[in-house]
Amino acid sequence: WTYYAPAVEMAALSMFMVNTNGNAEKKYRVDYMEDAVAKYLTVCQSPEFAVRATLFDALCLKHQGMYSESANSYIKMTNELSDLRSAMLLEQAAYCYLQAPVPSLRKYGFHIVLSGYRFTKTGSCKEHAVRLYRQGSQVYDRKGWLLSSENILYTLGHQKFMLKDFSASAEYFNSLMAVSTGRNHLQQMVHLR
């Protein structure tokens, strides 16, 4: 099995390269690459090779305009063991949803915020987390999704506070209070704790 997975991976990449030269008879075999990723993860116990195969798979799919499938490929490789790797894969998946022929803004917003959360969990990538939460806030802003907007604004305010950018933190908390005006006062107190 240690030879089978890389052989199948290279077969899929070779078919893709043959296809890019104008030969329409041989198509890129997504099932080959999925098989290689599965074997890398289960039999070979080599997650780093599975990530490599996933990155190749996603690039080949994007080259063919299959952005949703590329996003699904990235998402399949996310797990609870590596927050940094999962955050980067989720960010790429979000951008795939945005580049699709019919952009999926809600999926983009959800995955970009989830990526920001995973960057926050790493503990050392707070600037990336703030950038991604800010991008997500543009999707959720003025859509009427109050809980999502409150969560994003609270997280942005908290992250900016932890980065010692107190003026930006105050702006986000002020925006949070403006969004939650007229709602439960206990909830506002929880946000300000």
Side-chain angles (χ1 to χ4, degrees):
W1 292 112
T2 56
Y3 299 115
Y4 172 77
V8 173
E9 178 185 3
M10 289 313 299
L13 287 174
S14 299
M15 289 179 139
F16 170 74
M17 287 188 254
V18 167
N19 191 23
T20 58
N21 291 333
N23 187 357
E25 293 175 11
K26 306 237 184 227
K27 301 259 184 195
Y28 173 65
R29 296 292 303 260
V30 178
D31 57 329
Y32 281 13
M33 198 61 85
E34 288 175 354
D35 193 27
V37 170
K39 294 297 186 267
Y40 280 136
L41 287 174
T42 56
V43 179
C44 300
Q45 299 292 315
S46 301
E48 61 278 354
F49 293 140
V51 169
R52 180 191 66 195
T54 299
L55 293 175
F56 281 139
D57 184 37
L59 287 173
C60 293
L61 290 170
K62 281 196 275 188
H63 190 289
Q64 294 179 333
M66 301 168 70
Y67 292 100
S68 295
E69 291 82 357
S70 178
N72 291 337
S73 181
Y74 283 128
I75 292 168
K76 283 180 191 173
M77 276 307 296
T78 60
N79 60 25
E80 294 300 317
L81 300 177
S82 175
D83 287 321
L84 183 60
R85 178 178 41 202
S86 294
M88 290 189 294
L89 291 171
L90 285 167
E91 181 181 7
Q92 290 303 309
Y95 293 140
C96 287
Y97 284 125
L98 196 59
Q99 292 174 338
V102 178
S104 301
L105 288 178
R106 283 189 270 179
K107 286 185 178 183
Y108 163 75
F110 175 77
H111 285 91
I112 207 77
V113 169
L114 189 57
S115 176
Y117 171 71
R118 296 302 291 266
F119 271 119
T120 301
K121 280 180 64 177
T122 64
S124 60
C125 300
K126 290 184 174 70
E127 303 253 346
H128 289 299
V130 167
R131 177 180 54 84
L132 295 172
Y133 269 105
R134 225 179 303 133
Q135 288 176 5
S137 72
Q138 293 171 356
V139 174
Y140 290 103
D141 192 27
R142 295 183 187 96
K143 295 278 195 237
W145 300 335
L146 292 177
L147 291 176
S148 299
S149 295
E150 286 177 356
N151 180 32
I152 291 170
L153 289 171
Y154 173 77
T155 304
L156 281 168
H158 180 73
Q159 290 294 330
K160 284 294 190 177
F161 183 80
M162 299 304 283
L163 291 170
K164 304 211 183 323
D165 187 357
F166 300 117
S167 61
S169 177
E171 287 178 31
Y172 286 121
F173 282 123
N174 285 338
S175 297
L176 174 63
M177 290 299 111
V179 166
S180 60
T181 300
R183 294 192 44 175
N184 188 352
H185 297 292
L186 292 174
Q187 185 66 35
Q188 287 181 343
M189 291 304 292
V190 167
H191 286 311
L192 290 177
R193 262 191 309 148

